[in-house]
Amino acid sequence: MTQVHSTTEQPPLLLLIATGMRTYREYLLRSLSTEFRVHLFHVDEPSWEKEFISGWTVLPSTLDGPEMARAARELHEREPVSGVLCWDEGRIHAASYTAEALGLRNGDPAVIWRLRDKGQTRAALDAAGVAQPRSVPVKSLDEALAAAGQVGYPAILKPRGLGASLGVVRVDDEGQLRERFPFTAGMKGPDPEPLLYSTDQPVLVEEWVTGEEISVDAVVQDGKVVPLFIGRKVVGYLPYAEEIGHYVDAGDPLLSDPELLDALQDTHTALGFRDGWTHSEFMLTAAGPRLIEVNGRLGGDMIPYLGMLATGVDPGLAAGRVACGLTPEITPSRHQVAGIRFFYVDRDDTRIESVSFRETDLPRGVERLVPVARPGAVVSPPPKGTVWGRIAFAIATGSTTDACRAALDAAESTLVVRTGQDDTPDDTPSEREE
C-alpha cells in the first residue's frame, strides 16, 4: 500500500527505511521533515511518523533488499528520489539495495555487508594494515579455545554480526571461556539475520585491548571522513560490555587529534565506505587508537542527540543531506557537554508497575527524563537484560563533563521504580561503574 501526498513546493524527496522506536529516533525524523519530503518504507501503516512524512509504502518486510529495491524503483518512476537513509542496524544492508537500484549514494551492498559482518571488517583492515585487536572467527567451543591460545587471555567473545554490544563478554581464562561461550554463540538480535547467522564461523575471539573506549559519529562524502561527535562511553556490568552512558563534548580534543583522524580515514578507505554516516568505535590504548568496529549508520543510545545538544549540529539534517549528495551544515553553534545515563533494575525477571521521576528541585542542565519500561513489563539487568533491560534514561548538559555528571546524579536521585516484588518504591537503581 502506498500513500503519496504532494505539496506546491518540492524539497528533495528522501526515502527512509523504517524508523525504530519513537523514544530514540523521533528527533531525527522531526529534523528531516523541515528540509526534506520524507517517504517511509515500513511494515505497518505509520502512526506517530505521519506528522513528519509526505508519503509511505507498507511492505511485507524491510529486511528484503531486492524487494525494497523494486518498490523504490516504482516510487522513483512517479517521483524522483534524491537519497536513501536508514539508521537501523538490522536494515542498513537491505537499504543499500534501494540506493543501488536508484544509482544513489551509499548504494553498494557489498560495502555495507563488509561493515555488518565484523569478520569481514577485520579481514579488510588486516589487509590494509589498519591497527586493530587480533581477531579469529570460530564456529565451536574447541575452535574458540584454540583461538584464545593465539590471541591470549584476557580475550573478548563477540558475535560477528550484532550491534549494541549484544553478546560481547570478556573471558580471563579457559574456564570462563567454556562457561561464557554459549552466551555469545546463542545471542540473537531483534530481527532475523539469516545470511549472517548462516556463516559457519559466527563468533569472533579477539584480543583484549585496554584504554578508554570512544565512539565517533562522522559524515563521509566522496571518501572523505569528517568526525562530528566523539562519544565517551561509560561501560558497566563487567565482564559484559553494557553501555550504561555516554558523554559528548563539543570541545573534545579528539576531534582534531591527528592519530585518531588518520585511523578513522584509513579505516573507511580500507572498507570502501565513501558516502553516508558512520558510527565507529575505538579503544584508545597506550599504543594508539585501535579500531573496535564500524557501523554504517547513525549512532544509537541517543548519541547523535547528545551531539546536537553539545554542538548545535543537527544530525538528522546532516545525514539527510549527505544521503542526497548535498553539503551538510556541520559548523558548531554551541559549546557544551551533553550526557546520557541509562537505568536498570537490580533483580532478574522484575515486573514493573511504574517508572517515574520526581521532577521537583531538579538542577539546571537536566534536559530529559524518560521512562522506558511500561507497566507490566518483566525486565532484568545485564547480562540477561542487556540493552532491553533498560527501564529509563536521563539526559543532561553542562559546561563541563563534571557539571553534566552532577546533573545526571541529581536526575538519578529522583528515579522512582515500583515493582511487583514489593509495595515500596525502589529509589536506588542497581550499582554501576562510572
Side-chain angles (χ1 to χ4, degrees):
M1 176 181 67
T2 301
Q3 297 284 334
V4 178
H5 309 281
S6 297
T7 60
T8 54
E9 296 182 3
Q10 294 294 307
L13 181 62
L14 181 69
L15 175 57
L16 178 64
I17 311 299
T19 52
M21 292 178 62
R22 182 177 189 176
T23 299
Y24 292 100
R25 295 304 195 182
E26 181 179 6
Y27 75 97
L28 293 171
L29 189 52
R30 182 185 299 275
S31 290
L32 287 171
S33 69
T34 66
E35 194 167 299
F36 299 91
R37 291 174 298 133
V38 180
H39 189 98
L40 176 64
F41 276 7
H42 208 6
V43 294
D44 295 304
E45 181 174 331
S47 54
W48 61 269
E49 298 98 338
K50 287 183 178 178
E51 178 183 353
F52 309 113
I53 61 178
S54 60
W56 64 88
T57 300
V58 176
L59 298 171
S61 171
T62 49
L63 296 168
D64 186 336
E67 176 58 26
M68 283 204 302
R70 181 197 63 77
R73 282 192 292 266
E74 292 180 357
L75 173 65
H76 191 63
E77 289 174 1
R78 297 191 305 271
E79 239 181 327
V81 175
S82 298
V84 176
L85 181 61
C86 180
W87 49 63
D88 184 286
E89 177 70 14
R91 290 166 172 79
I92 58 172
H93 183 242
S96 68
Y97 282 90
T98 66
E100 179 186 48
L102 304 183
L104 299 174
R105 306 254 174 167
N106 205 17
D108 190 336
V111 170
I112 302 304
W113 197 244
R114 196 174 299 136
L115 273 62
R116 288 284 293 116
D117 181 349
K118 295 177 177 64
Q120 286 192 48
T121 300
R122 292 297 190 208
L125 297 184
D126 270 343
V130 176
Q132 62 178 339
R134 289 173 292 172
S135 178
V136 181
V138 302
K139 64 181 177 182
S140 66
L141 174 59
D142 287 342
E143 288 190 3
L145 290 167
Q150 297 177 45
V151 305
Y153 290 102
I156 289 290
L157 303 182
K158 175 189 295 185
R160 65 186 291 168
L162 296 180
S165 299
L166 294 174
V168 178
V169 63
R170 168 178 159 163
V171 294
D172 292 333
D173 52 41
E174 179 179 323
Q176 288 186 358
L177 193 153
R178 290 181 180 276
E179 176 187 352
R180 294 170 182 168
F181 183 81
F183 168 79
T184 302
M187 183 61 66
K188 303 294 182 185
D191 298 302
E193 290 278 5
L195 291 175
L196 205 54
Y197 289 138
S198 67
T199 177
D200 64 353
Q201 296 175 313
V203 173
L204 300 178
V205 179
E206 299 196 337
E207 175 188 11
W208 168 260
V209 290
T210 60
E212 182 182 7
E213 190 171 2
I214 66 164
S215 64
V216 186
D217 274 83
V219 290
V220 187
Q221 285 192 297
D222 297 320
K224 182 180 179 181
V225 186
V226 179
L228 301 184
F229 313 133
I230 302 291
R232 303 275 183 163
K233 290 190 180 186
V234 183
V235 179
Y237 296 98
L238 301 177
Y240 305 95
E242 180 75 5
E243 296 173 15
I244 61 175
H246 307 269
Y247 293 96
V248 176
D249 184 345
D252 199 308
L254 289 176
L255 288 167
S256 57
D257 180 80
E259 193 171 17
L260 179 62
L261 294 180
D262 285 347
L264 190 66
Q265 182 64 64
D266 291 346
T267 294
H268 286 72
T269 301
L271 295 174
F273 191 99
R274 295 187 53 78
D275 289 285
W277 185 294
T278 60
H279 177 78
S280 306
E281 299 178 358
F282 288 87
M283 190 71 76
L284 304 180
T285 75
R290 295 293 181 264
L291 190 280
I292 302 301
E293 65 184 50
V294 183
N295 305 283
R297 53 164 174 80
L298 289 108
D301 279 1
M302 302 291 287
I303 296 173
Y305 183 78
L306 300 181
M308 183 167 64
L309 290 177
T311 70
V313 174
D314 191 309
L317 290 181
R321 290 179 184 177
V322 169
C324 294
L326 305 173
T327 301
E329 176 52 65
I330 57 175
T331 302
S333 59
R334 299 178 196 152
H335 296 275
Q336 61 181 356
V337 179
I340 188 169
R341 184 176 299 172
F342 298 100
F343 305 114
Y344 305 77
V345 294
D346 290 321
R347 295 168 290 190
D348 283 350
D349 301 321
T350 296
R351 182 174 296 279
I352 297 294
E353 292 186 355
S354 67
V355 178
S356 61
F357 291 87
R358 296 189 300 270
E359 298 188 31
T360 57
D361 300 323
L362 285 171
R364 183 178 180 181
V366 175
E367 301 282 344
R368 294 185 64 185
L369 300 172
V370 183
V372 175
R374 297 179 178 179
V378 177
V379 296
S380 301
K384 186 174 182 178
T386 62
V387 170
W388 293 288
R390 295 168 175 171
I391 60 171
F393 64 83
I395 292 176
T397 57
S399 58
T400 64
T401 299
D402 285 343
C404 185
R405 183 181 295 110
L408 289 173
D409 288 343
E412 181 171 357
S413 71
T414 71
L415 176 65
V416 179
V417 183
R418 295 185 181 275
T419 72
Q421 270 73 8
D422 54 51
D423 296 327
T424 59
D426 178 4
D427 293 335
T428 308
S430 53
E431 293 182 0
R432 49 185 63 82
E433 296 184 22
E434 184 163 347

